[in-house]
Amino acid sequence: MPNLTTPRVRFAPSPTGYLHVGGARTALFNWLFARHEGGILILRIEDTDAERNRPELVGGILEGLRWLGIAWDEGPIFQSDRLPMYRSAAERLLASGAAFPCYCKATAYAGGDAAPSETDEGEGDDEGPNSQRAAACPCRDLSPGLREIRKQEGMAYAIRFRVAREGVTNFEDAVFGPREVQNAEIEDFVLLRSNGVPTYQLSVVVDDIDMRITHIIRGADHLSNTPKQVMIYRALGAEPPIFAHVPLILGPDRTRLSKRHGATSVGSYADEGFLPEAFRNFLALLGWSPGDDSEFMRTHELIERFALSGVSRTNAVFDRPKLEWFNTQYLQKPPVEDLLPYVEAELKRASIWQDAWGGPEKAWFAHAVDLIRPRTRFLGDFSAWARAFFTDDFDYDAEAREKFWKDDRLPGMLAKLADALATLPEWNHDACDAAVRGLAAAEGVKAGLLINAIRVAIVGRAVAPPLFETMAVIGKDRVVARIRRALPSMTSAKTSA
RNA sequence: GGCGCUAUGGUGCAACGGUUAGCACGCGGCCCUUUCAAGGCUGAAAUACGGGUUCGAUUCCCGUUAGCGCUACCA
């Protein structure tokens, strides 16, 4: 049987840009809350502003959400498909007297110069003229006669909410506590534009009522406008839900995170090789904490521990280095199986994936990934510095050659080593270890000299996992071949010098 | 300008009247070591300022300052 108290929340982006970090965090909180409470998450696209709305961006937003692993239960629902519902709500408010038609010109309140303020003593270096708050619209008290005349004239009108001149409006915020504002502070705001399109204030309330939203979790930038929405709820005969305004995410300069702070779309983090779970963990801690010092929390734990009571009221600065740290943690700590699909995708992207690794050679693949991952920071590392683990098509890093191939005894010793390795009956860490150290002893050189040179020969880099395990993973034939292949390069590097 | 919110190291969080103010990132040092990471140990680093309330304030109240938000026929 349906539980009448099932929490219902929503994430309601407007397609005026890509899914950015702030939106992603809001979506995450809604999702964590829904999962924790056994509730429903609805995705709603707020696209009533035809001017700024870019329909083609919706796909990108959904894609970003999917990458983040945030699955919605209902929707996406487009507000642009529901215009009649908002209009009829506005008509109802008009009929009940809670709203009134406004015949002012649309520009009169649009931050323009409708009311050339007589009190402009300001320096006027910025915007300037409108320093007084918008007074109540004069149409509010239009006499019935005059209103009738306007109507006859067929003048276009907007519908404004008739805000009480006195008293207070209050509501409950799960994060900021009980709120109360003076009605006198609020202007007669527009509900329905003169072109018949609803404003955010109207559509958001009508939808939230219609969708039976129980908790509105959204950015704190909406806190100041919430009283207006509460008024609409009550005028519509509905009880407002519980609000939970979450603090904003700022850039390093403490201004609201925006494009000029660099990468702010979640898609760019996907492209950079971040793991979605790492991103989620990082985002979750921006404005929320479980109440203790826990930081590394896998998603199931985030869901388990998430509560609105742990949401902070202070804005948080997006700290990229910490995000990267989380990524290394998620690259290194979880069971290697969790990582395999991501590495597979990365290798496919780099065109060096082989299907056998997903089948008969899966154990080998897992082992290789496990060996490589302690040194990775991004998924791209698997196809970059660790490329030689997956393909013979790799080159030698110039610095690595310079650093570890300069001893002129190397070609001779490594030639011998290759021969010795080729005859090894067993191929594993210990056998390689014994062969290399044995040769070093016989030649009277430090094992490190050979170890470092071999590493460059078989993986092309100075930086790689411990050598003998690397040799074991790469395999006997390939190791021998790679050492022999490298010999000329060492010699030429020598003779040319 | 008006209204509101916020204020713990550089950053993210903890301490929700009594702690030598804790953890993590980042930064420095040491250990480990086969390169580079990881890991372990360790160092520097904070309660914005001023008044109250209280036996006792990071914590409660007021003011100041600063930052942010809202103040659109944008969301």
Side-chain angles (χ1 to χ4, degrees):
Chain A
M1 59 177 191
N3 180 356
L4 291 179
T5 62
T6 296
R8 294 172 62 85
V9 297
R10 48 38 165 213
F11 174 56
S14 70
T16 54
Y18 40 64
L19 177 63
H20 57 90
V21 171
R25 201 276 313 265
T26 299
L28 178 66
F29 280 15
N30 274 285
W31 182 73
L32 290 174
F33 180 81
R35 290 293 88 91
H36 178 91
E37 302 286 334
I40 298 294
L41 172 63
I42 300 167
L43 177 61
R44 184 171 75 214
I45 306 297
E46 310 217 319
D47 56 350
T48 55
D49 183 1
E51 302 275 306
R52 307 195 316 154
N53 175 37
R54 318 251 55 194
E56 71 276 15
L57 294 176
V58 173
I61 291 173
L62 302 193
E63 189 185 354
L65 251 17
R66 286 196 199 96
W67 176 76
L68 262 178
I70 294 176
W72 53 94
D73 304 297
E74 295 177 17
I77 292 167
F78 292 79
Q79 289 193 321
S80 55
D81 291 338
R82 300 155 65 86
L83 265 18
M85 186 169 67
Y86 311 127
R87 286 178 192 145
S88 82
E91 291 300 334
R92 259 183 290 142
L93 292 171
L94 208 49
S96 73
F100 62 89
C102 168
Y103 295 94
C104 298
K105 300 206 60 130
T107 54
Y109 293 86
D113 50 350
S117 59
E118 43 274 277
T119 60
D120 61 347
E121 53 199 299
E123 303 307 274
D125 27 347
D126 35 38
E127 291 316 313
N130 61 333
S131 54
Q132 300 299 306
R133 90 175 183 85
C137 175
C139 303
R140 172 186 174 114
D141 299 314
L142 227 48
S143 68
L146 216 52
R147 194 164 285 169
E148 188 54 34
I149 291 173
R150 292 277 192 264
K151 194 173 177 181
Q152 298 305 336
E153 288 171 342
M155 252 178 110
Y157 61 91
I159 297 179
R160 285 180 184 274
F161 192 88
R162 186 188 301 278
V163 177
R165 288 271 166 71
E166 301 176 334
V168 298
T169 294
N170 41 42
F171 62 94
E172 189 64 31
D173 192 290
V175 174
F176 287 87
R179 312 283 314 151
E180 176 175 294
V181 304
Q182 298 293 321
N183 292 333
E185 291 296 330
I186 297 171
E187 75 284 5
D188 289 336
F189 55 93
V190 171
L191 297 170
L192 199 70
R193 300 178 177 91
S194 49
N195 64 4
V197 175
T199 61
Y200 167 75
Q201 311 291 167
L202 205 222
S203 59
V204 75
V205 172
V206 170
D207 274 341
D208 286 336
I209 292 173
D210 180 66
M211 296 172 185
R212 299 168 358 255
I213 299 300
T214 60
H215 302 258
I216 295 180
I217 302 171
R218 68 195 349 175
D221 49 339
H222 290 291
L223 189 57
S224 296
N225 278 326
T226 302
K228 295 176 185 169
Q229 292 161 30
V230 169
M231 290 173 184
I232 299 176
Y233 271 98
R234 301 218 163 106
L236 247 19
E239 203 41 45
I242 293 171
F243 294 91
H245 288 93
V246 305
L248 269 19
I249 297 178
L250 313 176
D253 60 355
R254 306 209 71 99
T255 64
R256 206 168 174 175
L257 201 58
S258 68
K259 310 90 233 160
R260 62 191 181 71
H261 289 109
T264 54
S265 83
V266 318
S268 69
Y269 291 94
D271 295 343
E272 278 193 78
F274 282 92
L275 257 6
E277 190 173 18
F279 201 70
R280 252 177 268 150
N281 196 159
F282 169 73
L283 237 34
L285 261 13
L286 246 32
W288 173 78
S289 99
D292 58 24
D293 289 331
S294 306
E295 295 218 280
F296 181 83
M297 284 172 281
R298 302 215 51 190
T299 302
H300 65 85
E301 194 175 354
L302 249 20
I303 290 171
E304 238 165 62
R305 307 188 64 168
F306 187 81
L308 259 17
S309 61
V311 176
S312 135
R313 285 171 296 279
T314 65
N315 293 167
V317 173
F318 186 89
D319 187 38
R320 162 104 191 186
K322 188 142 190 178
L323 201 213
E324 291 189 13
W325 176 78
F326 269 112
N327 208 45
T328 65
Q329 295 300 299
Y330 277 90
L331 243 11
Q332 295 166 20
K333 283 189 177 166
V336 71
E337 294 71 39
D338 293 3
L339 190 58
L340 265 22
Y342 295 101
V343 180
E344 177 177 337
E346 170 59 26
L347 297 187
K348 281 177 175 163
R349 198 190 58 73
S351 304
I352 55 176
W353 168 258
Q354 293 188 21
D355 290 333
W357 299 333
E361 291 174 29
K362 180 158 187 175
W364 175 85
F365 179 57
H367 186 209
V369 169
D370 207 23
L371 183 62
I372 295 164
R373 66 174 177 155
R375 265 147 277 255
T376 54
R377 288 187 78 73
F378 301 100
L379 280 171
D381 290 338
F382 285 97
S383 63
W385 68 256
R387 182 182 178 85
F389 281 84
F390 305 106
T391 174
D392 291 324
D393 176 28
F394 68 94
D395 46 27
Y396 307 115
D397 178 70
E399 276 182 44
R401 291 171 54 153
E402 176 58 32
K403 189 173 177 187
F404 293 123
W405 282 2
K406 58 175 181 246
D407 192 306
D408 49 12
R409 291 170 295 178
L410 249 18
M413 293 189 290
L414 292 193
K416 285 186 207 169
L417 180 69
D419 294 342
L421 291 176
T423 63
L424 245 31
E426 300 262 325
W427 187 260
N428 54 45
H429 174 286
D430 291 350
C432 293
D433 187 318
V436 172
R437 291 188 195 281
L439 179 72
E443 297 284 337
V445 299
K446 290 185 4 183
L449 176 68
L450 295 179
I451 288 171
N452 289 327
I454 298 167
R455 179 179 296 109
V456 178
I458 67 175
V459 301
R461 307 278 143 161
V463 177
L467 184 68
F468 304 125
E469 289 174 66
T470 298
M471 291 172 76
V473 164
I474 289 179
K476 179 175 171 177
D477 295 345
R478 289 203 295 175
V479 168
V480 170
R482 287 181 185 185
I483 289 175
R484 287 177 173 152
R485 185 177 77 178
L487 294 176
S489 305
M490 287 187 274
T491 310
S492 67
K494 199 68 254 110
T495 55
S496 68

